[in-house]
Amino acid sequence: MNVSTRVVILLVVAALAACTASEPPPEAPVSRPVKLMTVGNDVPSRTLRFPGSVSAVKQSDMAFEVSGRIVEMPVTEGERVAAGTLLARLDARDYVAGRDRARAERNAARADFNRYDQAYKANAVTAQQLDQARRALEVAEAGYQQASKAMDETVLRAPFAGRIADKLVEDFANVQAKQPVLVLQSDDALEMRVSVPEVDWVREAPVSSPATIELEGDLQVVLSSLPDRPMPATITAFSGAADPVTRTFEVKVRFHPPAGVSASPGMTGHVAYTPPAESNGNALLVPADAVVTTPDNRPFVWVYEDSTGAVTRRLIDIGELSGDRLHVLAGLEAGERIAVAGVHTLADGAAVRPMGD
């Protein structure tokens, strides 16, 4: 080996040594913050939420029982009216004339009956003639009552206090009998109709009638437009059988909007029920969002190990869903800590730290 070759080799070795010395040491794995939950036997306080829409407790599609032309409709949409308030009136001239004619016929039939009655007592007419006069009077009396009722039906009054939700016809329109002309809704109390899954209905409210419902937890109505103003509510009615398709029970929940809250039918929201926390034996409940599935649909959770500061995958056996939580039948023990957020981005052995540490 000549001198020039040795020089080249020394230069290459020196260059490699310099590159090796300039490389930084490998970085230690960075732990990411993760929200954890300690699993326990006590069922944590949970809230069951059932979406629904607001409707009036009482609603009436107001209609005349007779036909005619509207000559007066002094109410406007959105106006609040008291019970007995005049809502609309028909042109009653024909009905007044019909009533007066029926009254005259009734009076004539009554006078005829009185004459036949006196004549019968004097043995001047037969019992059959008296019966004919009595039947004529009864027919005339019925005709008068019918005509009087028809005239009264030309006036439409509010059967209860409420708010005019909609006017369905124009002023001075000709309407037919039983044709709705406006919609009246009560506004002192409202209700929300929701569909409750049968598993929650059986567990939380095993009752036979609304009068026996005594929920120990907290039942509230929360409007989507007022999420920070929950309103106390009570169950007033529910379906007697589950829907054959959805397997849910329809439940009506009544609530009273507080002063200053303008709640109206048609608004959306949900009914929130928070049952009291209770001991649940050996069963454990975990948030449904904390449970992940393997490619072959086996459920598991990420268990946090204090000794390693990392999470490991733990296969579990799950039971039925209760609200937003799942019953864990096997695979976890009380006191263990599991990840409950960001679980789809974790990996086995990933370094994490409890959120807030």
Side-chain angles (χ1 to χ4, degrees), residues 34-265:
V34 171
K35 184 178 180 181
L36 302 177
M37 184 194 87
T38 301
V39 180
N41 290 107
D42 288 337
V43 178
S45 178
R46 68 194 191 282
T47 298
L48 308 180
R49 294 178 174 84
F50 310 105
S53 59
V54 178
S55 60
V57 173
K58 291 187 292 184
Q59 175 172 312
S60 179
D61 294 338
M62 304 298 299
F64 292 100
E65 293 295 322
V66 295
S67 302
R69 183 172 65 90
I70 296 177
V71 295
E72 186 179 5
M73 189 180 287
V75 294
T76 59
E77 291 184 2
E79 178 180 350
R80 197 180 192 286
V81 297
T85 299
L86 174 67
L87 303 179
R89 188 193 305 273
L90 295 178
D91 184 352
R93 288 176 296 181
D94 291 343
Y95 295 102
V96 171
R99 181 203 59 183
D100 293 343
R101 181 172 57 252
R103 179 192 294 155
E105 293 173 352
R106 189 273 312 269
N107 291 342
R110 179 178 295 168
D112 288 343
F113 173 77
N114 290 336
R115 284 195 301 270
Y116 274 94
D117 186 52
Q118 293 298 324
Y120 177 76
K121 292 177 181 178
N123 295 320
V125 297
T126 64
Q128 182 180 4
Q129 290 175 308
L130 179 62
D131 288 340
Q132 289 177 346
R134 180 182 292 107
R135 286 194 296 271
L137 174 59
E138 291 173 350
V139 171
E141 183 67 38
Y144 172 67
Q145 295 296 332
Q146 184 177 13
S148 297
K149 182 178 183 298
M151 192 200 71
D152 293 339
E153 293 296 341
T154 61
V155 176
L156 199 61
R157 297 187 180 275
F160 54 84
R163 196 175 299 277
I164 305 299
D166 195 9
K167 291 178 66 174
L168 306 177
V169 298
E170 299 295 333
D171 294 346
F172 307 107
N174 288 302
V175 296
Q176 299 299 316
K178 300 186 183 302
Q179 175 186 346
V181 297
L182 53 83
V183 178
L184 177 66
Q185 295 177 336
S186 61
D187 62 352
D188 56 339
L190 299 171
E191 67 182 14
M192 181 172 286
R193 300 185 182 188
V194 298
S195 297
V196 178
E198 59 182 1
V199 62
D200 290 323
W201 180 247
V202 171
R203 180 183 299 108
E204 306 298 349
V207 295
S208 58
S209 69
T212 65
I213 297 177
E214 295 181 357
L215 298 177
E216 296 182 359
D218 187 23
L219 185 69
Q220 296 178 321
V221 165
V222 181
L223 300 179
S224 300
S225 56
L226 297 169
D228 299 328
R229 296 289 298 274
M231 291 164 273
T234 56
I235 295 177
T236 56
F238 57 86
S239 56
D243 184 279
V245 177
T246 62
R247 311 309 306 172
T248 60
F249 288 83
E250 182 182 76
V251 180
K252 295 180 181 179
V253 177
R254 181 176 298 185
F255 65 99
H256 296 269
V261 173
S262 181
S264 302

